[in-house]
Amino acid sequence: MGEGFWLIAANGEWGATPYLNDQLKNASWIIAADGGARELAKRGFHANVIIGDFDSLSIDDKKFHQNAQIIEVKSQEETDLVKALNYCHLNGAKEVVIIGVDGGRTDHVLGVFATLFEAPPDLPVSLIHKDGVSYLIPPISSKPFQCGEHVSVFAIGGEVIGLCIRGFEYEVEDRVLSFSTRGIHNICTSESAQITFDNEKSQGRLLIYRKN
């Protein structure tokens, strides 16, 4: 299965960016969440695994992905995306990237972000959007920022305590952040920029969005 990142292909809007194709080419394992198999087929990429309740999977999709492992999970307790994420976690994935998460019904869009919150805390998961990427960060963000980059942060699931944002136009030190618009649209001004918080005291988790 490889040591690189695993990719989940969801059934939303994908967009057409070079970055998206790079993710597909570089993934060490590709999991299609039900209808995500169709989007993969449109672009000529084969899934290693297809998982879901298969309410969106056609016969043609199965034919294209004839070598994929088919895992049918009928449970309505979880979305197909959560089923795919659980598969990744149980089978040893070290990092997961999810594409096809934009567009569609509003409740589905909200469900995508809820999926991040349901992910195991020790499993890095990134959502690839048409205009950027979002993920939950650990207490100290390990991914470097670039000068001029647009970044937004949100507290999810409760308050984030001890938030520090350094090396941005709007800096904060030891703040409490609740679910609000206070963290929207900051701009990085330093290559050593850093975002940290107190994980032990925080009830919530910190969601970060980085614009392309």
Side-chain angles (χ1 to χ4, degrees), residues 20-160:
L20 185 68
N21 287 332
D22 287 343
Q23 296 293 310
L24 287 163
K25 291 176 182 177
N26 295 327
S28 62
W29 205 247
I30 297 178
I31 303 95
D34 204 337
R38 181 180 303 107
E39 297 300 322
L40 284 170
K42 288 179 182 177
R43 293 160 177 80
F45 289 91
H46 293 270
N48 300 104
V49 175
I50 304 176
I51 190 169
D53 57 15
F54 299 153
D55 61 347
S56 303
L57 191 68
S58 70
I59 294 175
D60 288 340
D61 296 334
K62 288 184 178 181
K63 286 182 179 179
F64 182 85
H65 301 284
Q66 57 184 332
N67 295 321
Q69 179 185 4
I70 305 295
I71 303 175
E72 186 173 8
V73 183
K74 286 293 189 183
S75 170
Q76 297 301 311
E77 297 284 323
E78 303 163 322
T79 65
D80 290 329
L81 190 53
V82 171
K83 294 169 187 174
L85 193 57
N86 288 341
Y87 169 87
C88 293
H89 184 237
L90 292 173
N91 287 276
K94 303 300 182 185
E95 180 181 1
V96 177
V97 167
I98 306 176
I99 62 176
V101 298
D102 294 321
R105 284 173 21 196
T106 302
D107 57 341
H108 288 177
V109 174
L110 293 171
V112 167
F113 288 99
T115 299
L116 273 183
F117 192 70
E118 291 182 44
D122 58 341
L123 179 62
V125 180
S126 299
L127 304 176
I128 306 300
H129 307 283
K130 290 182 290 185
D131 59 354
V133 59
S134 57
Y135 53 90
L136 295 174
I137 69 168
I140 299 177
S141 179
S142 58
K143 298 181 180 181
F145 298 99
Q146 297 179 348
C147 287
E149 183 177 6
H150 292 230
V151 177
S152 297
V153 295
F154 301 89
I156 304 292
E159 290 184 335
V160 168

Side-chain angles (χ1 to χ4, degrees), residues 164-183:
C164 297
I165 300 177
R166 304 184 182 107
F168 287 82
E169 281 189 359
Y170 177 65
E171 295 188 321
V172 300
E173 196 73 25
D174 197 25
R175 294 286 184 86
V176 176
L177 182 67
S178 58
F179 185 58
S180 66
T181 59
R182 288 171 56 197

Side-chain angles (χ1 to χ4, degrees), residues 7-24:
L7 183 144
I8 296 176
N11 193 25
E13 296 178 7
W14 285 34
T17 65
Y19 181 69
L20 185 68
N21 287 332
D22 287 343
Q23 296 293 310
L24 287 163

